[in-house]
C-alpha cells in the first residue's frame, strides 16, 4: 500500500483501509482495524482488538489498545473502539477493557485528546469530549457528550460526568458530576454551571434561567440531594433540567458532587 511508510511494522491480520495513512516507524497489531482516512503520524503503537474510526488522526508516540493497567486483568479478550474524526495527540494512552467492566473501552466521535492524557479500561467517552494535557480518566468512568476535562486533572474510577460539564485544571474528581456542572478546586467543588459552554451551544436563555434556578434548588433546598432532584422533576418544564434530574435519579451508588 502506497500510504504505508516502508519503515512501519504492520502485523499480519491488520485491516487497513486503502485510504488510511501509516507514517514512519508505526507498529500496527494483528487485530487492529483502521477505517477510511485514518492517519498515524509516526511512531504510533496500536495493538489489541482496536478499531479506529474514519478520519481519526493519531500523533507520534501515542500507545493505543494496550492491555489495562489493572492487576485483575488476566489476559481475557477485550476491545477498544474509537469513533470518527478524533484528534489523539502525542503520548496519549488508551487501554482496552476488562471482563469485569464489560470488555470494551469506547470513545465517541469528534474528540480532542491532548498530549499525555490517559483513557483507562472500560471507560465510556461520548462525542465532542476534550481531555486536556496530562489529565487521567480512570477505569469504568462515563464521560457524556461535550464534557471538558482540564489539564492535570484526575477522574476517579467509576465516576460519571454528565453532558456539557466542565472540570477545571488540576482538579481531582471523586464523585459524579451533574450535566452542565462546573467543577474546580483541588478536591473538586461543584461551583456552578458551565454557562459559557451553554451559551456557546446556543441554549435558549429561558433554559439557562431554568438551569440556574434548578442549581439553586439543588444547593439550598430541603431534604437530600436526591429529594431535591425528585422535586425538580415534578416541577420543571425544561428539557435541560430534566436531563439533570434523570442523571441524578439514575444513581449508580456513588455520591454526587453537591453545590457548596
Amino acid at each position: 500500500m502506497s500510504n504505508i511508510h516502508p519503515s512501519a511494522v504492520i502485523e499480519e491480520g491488520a485491516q487497513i483501509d486503502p485510504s488510511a495513512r501509516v507514517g514512519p516507524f508505526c507498529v500496527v497489531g494483528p487485530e487492529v482495524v483502521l477505517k477510511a482516512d485514518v492517519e498515524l503520524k509516526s511512531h504510533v503503537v496500536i495493538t489489541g482488538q482496536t478499531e479506529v474510526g474514519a478520519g481519526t488522526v493519531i500523533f507520534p508516540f501515542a500507545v493505543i489498545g494496550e492491555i489495562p493497567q489493572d492487576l485483575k486483568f488476566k489476559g481475557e479478550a477485550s476491545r477498544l473502539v474509537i469513533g470518527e474524526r478524533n484528534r489523539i495527540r502525542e503520548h496519549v494512552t488508551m487501554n482496552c477493557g476488562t471482563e469485569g467492566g464489560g470488555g470494551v473501552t469506547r470513545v465517541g466521535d469528534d474528540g480532542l485528546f491532548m498530549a499525555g492524557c490517559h483513557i483507562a479500561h472500560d471507560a465510556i467517552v461520548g462525542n465532542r469530549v476534550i481531555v486536556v494535557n496530562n489529565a487521567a480518566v480512570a477505569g469504568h468512568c462515563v464521560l457524556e457528550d461535550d464534557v471538558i476535562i482540564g489539564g492535570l486533572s484526575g477522574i476517579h474510577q467509576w465516576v460519571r460526568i454528565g453532558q456539557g460539564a466542565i472540570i477545571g485544571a488540576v482538579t481531582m474528581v471523586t464523585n459524579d458530576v451533574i450535566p452542565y456542572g462546573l467543577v474546580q478546586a483541588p478536591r473538586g467543588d461543584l461551583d456552578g454551571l458551565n454557562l459559557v459552554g451553554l451559551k456557546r451551544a446556543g441554549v435558549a436563555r429561558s433554559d439557562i434561567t431554568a438551569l440556574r434556578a434548578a442549581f439553586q434548588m439543588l444547593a439550598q433546598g430541603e431534604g437530600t440531594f436526591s429529594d431535591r432532584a425528585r422535586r425538580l422533576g415534578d416541577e420543571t418544564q425544561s428539557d435541560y433540567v430534566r436531563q439533570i434530574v434523570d442523571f441524578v435519579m439514575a444513581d449508580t451508588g456513588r455520591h454526587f458532587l453537591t453545590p457548596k
Side-chain angles (χ1 to χ4, degrees), residues 126-155:
N127 301 319
R128 300 175 300 279
V129 168
I130 299 173
V131 182
V132 180
N133 304 70
N134 298 302
V137 178
H140 312 283
C141 289
V142 176
L143 276 55
E144 295 187 349
D145 294 348
D146 305 302
V147 165
I148 299 175
I149 308 295
L152 296 167
S153 294
I155 313 302

Side-chain angles (χ1 to χ4, degrees), residues 210 214 231-243 245:
R231 286 199 300 274
L232 271 176
D234 294 337
E235 299 171 6
T236 188
Q237 301 298 316
S238 169
D239 290 340
Y240 289 88
V241 176
R242 169 58 61 185
Q243 189 174 354
V245 172

Side-chain angles (χ1 to χ4, degrees), residues 159-160 174-177 225 251-258:
V159 160
R160 296 182 302 149
T174 57
N175 293 312
D176 291 355
V177 178
F225 191 71
D251 186 2
T252 58
R254 294 193 64 84
H255 294 294
F256 285 88
L257 288 179
T258 55

Side-chain angles (χ1 to χ4, degrees), residues 15-17 19-21 32-40 46 49-58 64 80-88 94 105-111 113 127:
Q15 301 178 45
I16 301 176
D17 187 275
S19 64
R21 298 177 295 283
V32 170
V33 177
L34 304 181
K35 297 294 186 68
D37 298 315
V38 168
E39 180 179 2
L40 312 184
I46 303 187
Q49 294 184 31
T50 299
E51 177 180 311
V52 182
T56 288
V57 179
I58 305 179
I64 307 300
L80 169 63
V81 179
I82 298 172
E84 299 182 352
R85 298 177 301 278
N86 289 287
R87 296 296 177 266
I88 300 173
M94 296 182 176
T105 305
R106 293 190 183 276
V107 175
D109 301 333
D110 300 301
F113 301 88
N127 301 319

